[in-house]
Amino acid sequence: MRYSSLLRSDQTLFRDPEVFESTYTPEHLHHRDAQVRELAFLIRPALRGASPMNAILRGPPGTGKTTTVRRVFAEVAAETRRVVPVYVNCRQDHTLLAVYRCISRHLSGYAPPSRHLDDVREVIAARLRERDARLLVCLDDADYLIAAGTYNVLLYQLLRLYEGWSDLRGAGVFAVTSDLALNLYAEADGPVRSVFHPTEVNFWPYTKTEIRGILSDRVRQGLYPGVVPATVLDLVVEMTAGEQDVRVGIALLRQACLQAEGDSRRRVTRKDVMDVVAGVGSPALAARTTGLSSGERALLYRIAEQSLSGAEMMAGAVFEEVQDYLAVGKTTYHARLRRLADAGIIDLLHTGKGYEVFLRYAPDEVFAACARGGPGDQSPGCPRKG
Ligand SMILES: Nc1ncnc2c1ncn2[C@@H]1O[C@H](COP(=O)(O)OP(=O)(O)OP(=O)(O)O)[C@@H](O)[C@H]1O
Ligand SMILES: [Mg+2]
């Protein structure tokens, strides 16, 4: 290799590569003022010593639910000590112990030494009492709690904290889902519903103009000027609007820039974008697999293999087949299957004999998407200290 090309390969188009990571918190939250105002309104009673009110946040993937909650929680934490907002990523933490440990870690700043549920709950109660604070918990991707069978007991205990400790107020709960077929209120049982009166906060898919605003902001922050010409951004906006998921646009921009950078070019072309789309198969699939954990991705890979080989695709038969490769029990298998269905990668259709697994994408596309990997298991959740 010549010296000059070696040097050129060091040049980057990215002013700040972090801007295209899934963990990045955007400087500006676009077009979610109404939702921010609604959430602030629900939190306000806690500033006067009452419990925060409850909410169900609904909207398809990539419509800014997580980003909005995190933004509001950060502001609350900066403004007052009377409310303790705790974000729980239920994809990661869906057992009672995991959720309570997450809350305890947040309140104390370190991992609770005990792994006994009662001890962890006692620590939470003590910290809330010390601070005379109200607890507000966001259960993001609450579907995982339903799959794990912990949704109702957790809601019951959080909303009725005063039943365990008469000097505490009930917590507020913001439950989040991207599964529009799921009614998180209907999933609550009678005892929960008697105290759970959530306001529904909807996150509609962004319009093309809104997507353009969000993506051009990313381009401005993350790339050097002139790297993405307007016509290229137009194409990415079109594709993103088609998929209704901002992540698709962010992924396309990042990969197209990496391709241009690899070719030592200073500008991205429409061809780069088209190449990347072809390379990753469906941009929606790329975006959907990015959020999967390594275990979920491994299962998806095996399902694609099964589907390609023409094998029987009943959920039970698939479980028998994958057991040799993935050392997981039935509960974990079903939770992962549910997750793949929630992510819109497979469909689970109920037949007379049980659930049949349908892959929404061609197996080759799935192999390519799985091979590209993603941050999956490192998705933002509780800080893993201790
Ligand atoms: N209004 C916005 N302004 C800036 N960036 C946004 C906005 N909405 C979404 N994004 C970006 O789009 C990506 C997806 O957003 P987010 O994770 O909040 O979506 P979500 O609705 O929680 O999706 P899912 O249901 O799949 O969890 C993130 O990278 C986020 O930074
Ligand atoms: Mg989310």
Side-chain angles (χ1 to χ4, degrees):
M1 191 185 282
R2 287 211 327 263
Y3 228 44
S4 56
S5 62
L6 256 181
L7 287 176
R8 267 208 307 273
S9 70
D10 278 349
Q11 290 177 350
T12 178
L13 304 181
F14 294 88
R15 198 207 308 253
D16 180 1
E18 273 296 303
V19 166
F20 295 91
E21 292 297 326
S22 60
T23 45
Y24 177 75
T25 308
E27 271 172 23
H28 185 73
L29 179 66
H30 295 264
H31 314 296
R32 288 304 182 220
D33 292 353
Q35 288 81 356
V36 168
R37 270 199 304 273
E38 185 76 71
L39 297 181
F41 172 79
L42 298 172
I43 296 170
R44 216 163 287 147
L47 300 176
R48 299 188 294 267
S51 295
M53 292 190 278
N54 305 304
I56 289 176
L57 282 61
R58 298 174 75 243
T63 49
K65 301 179 295 298
T66 300
T67 310
T68 302
V69 168
R70 282 189 167 279
R71 170 61 58 99
V72 170
F73 275 21
E75 280 189 27
V76 170
E79 268 181 37
T80 177
R81 286 184 58 81
R82 301 205 68 186
V83 186
V84 183
V86 181
Y87 171 87
V88 181
N89 177 351
C90 301
R91 278 184 204 182
Q92 283 182 350
D93 297 319
H94 40 258
T95 64
L96 288 182
L97 182 62
V99 172
Y100 281 119
R101 279 178 65 85
C102 184
I103 296 171
S104 175
R105 197 156 44 223
H106 192 97
L107 274 162
S108 309
Y110 52 85
S114 169
R115 300 197 70 85
H116 291 287
L117 196 53
D118 287 346
D119 296 345
V120 179
R121 279 167 45 85
E122 282 297 341
V123 171
I124 293 171
R127 295 281 169 277
L128 288 172
R129 199 175 291 125
E130 273 164 28
R131 285 174 64 164
D132 186 24
R134 310 289 167 255
L135 182 63
L136 172 62
V137 181
C138 169
L139 300 172
D140 198 0
D141 290 315
D143 335 18
Y144 284 81
L145 300 175
I146 297 171
T150 49
Y151 180 68
N152 272 296
V153 65
L154 193 58
L155 278 185
Y156 184 95
Q157 292 178 348
L158 288 173
L159 296 167
R160 296 174 186 242
L161 269 187
Y162 48 82
E163 286 193 355
W165 300 275
S166 56
D167 56 333
L168 295 184
R169 298 273 178 164
V173 173
F174 291 176
V176 185
T177 183
S178 56
D179 182 352
L180 300 183
L182 182 71
N183 181 340
L184 284 175
Y185 181 66
E187 292 292 332
D189 60 22
V192 170
R193 277 199 228 172
S194 69
V195 283
F196 187 46
H197 309 291
T199 297
E200 197 161 286
V201 182
N202 285 302
F203 288 70
W204 310 111
Y206 297 112
T207 63
K208 257 189 219 171
T209 317
E210 290 171 342
I211 291 172
R212 191 171 227 290
I214 294 170
L215 293 182
S216 40
D217 221 26
R218 280 304 149 105
V219 165
R220 194 177 45 73
Q221 287 166 41
L223 301 168
Y224 285 108
V227 168
V228 179
T231 51
V232 174
L233 188 61
D234 286 343
L235 177 63
V236 176
V237 169
E238 275 304 318
M239 291 175 154
T240 308
E243 300 289 348
Q244 298 198 334
D245 183 340
V246 174
R247 273 194 209 94
V248 170
I250 296 172
L252 279 175
L253 283 169
R254 177 172 187 254
Q255 284 153 36
C257 286
L258 285 172
Q259 170 158 311
E261 194 178 270
D263 288 352
S264 303
R265 283 182 281 111
R266 305 188 64 85
R267 240 174 236 274
V268 177
T269 62
R270 288 168 69 94
K271 181 172 176 304
D272 286 323
V273 177
M274 296 312 292
D275 286 352
V276 191
V277 173
V280 298
S282 158
L285 177 59
R288 284 167 186 169
T289 48
T290 300
L292 300 179
S293 70
S294 53
E296 289 156 356
R297 213 174 298 126
L299 174 60
L300 176 61
Y301 195 95
R302 295 295 161 199
I303 289 174
E305 278 189 338
Q306 287 275 102
S307 167
L308 191 64
S309 70
E312 201 200 327
M313 294 302 285
M314 296 305 294
V318 173
F319 176 67
E320 296 301 324
E321 282 300 319
V322 301
Q323 249 185 339
D324 290 345
Y325 302 96
L326 319 170
V328 293
K330 262 203 173 137
T331 311
T332 307
Y333 166 72
H334 282 289
R336 288 183 185 170
L337 213 52
R338 183 76 246 155
R339 166 73 188 120
L340 296 178
D342 290 346
I345 303 170
I346 62 167
D347 290 303
L348 293 173
L349 297 190
H350 196 53
T351 70
K353 292 184 288 174
Y355 282 98
E356 189 165 0
V357 182
F358 283 91
L359 201 54
R360 284 198 192 172
Y361 297 87
D364 285 348
E365 289 185 20
V366 173
F367 295 142
C370 289
R372 286 181 51 254
D377 11 17
Q378 294 149 28
S379 58
C382 260
R384 301 271 153 200
K385 287 189 211 152

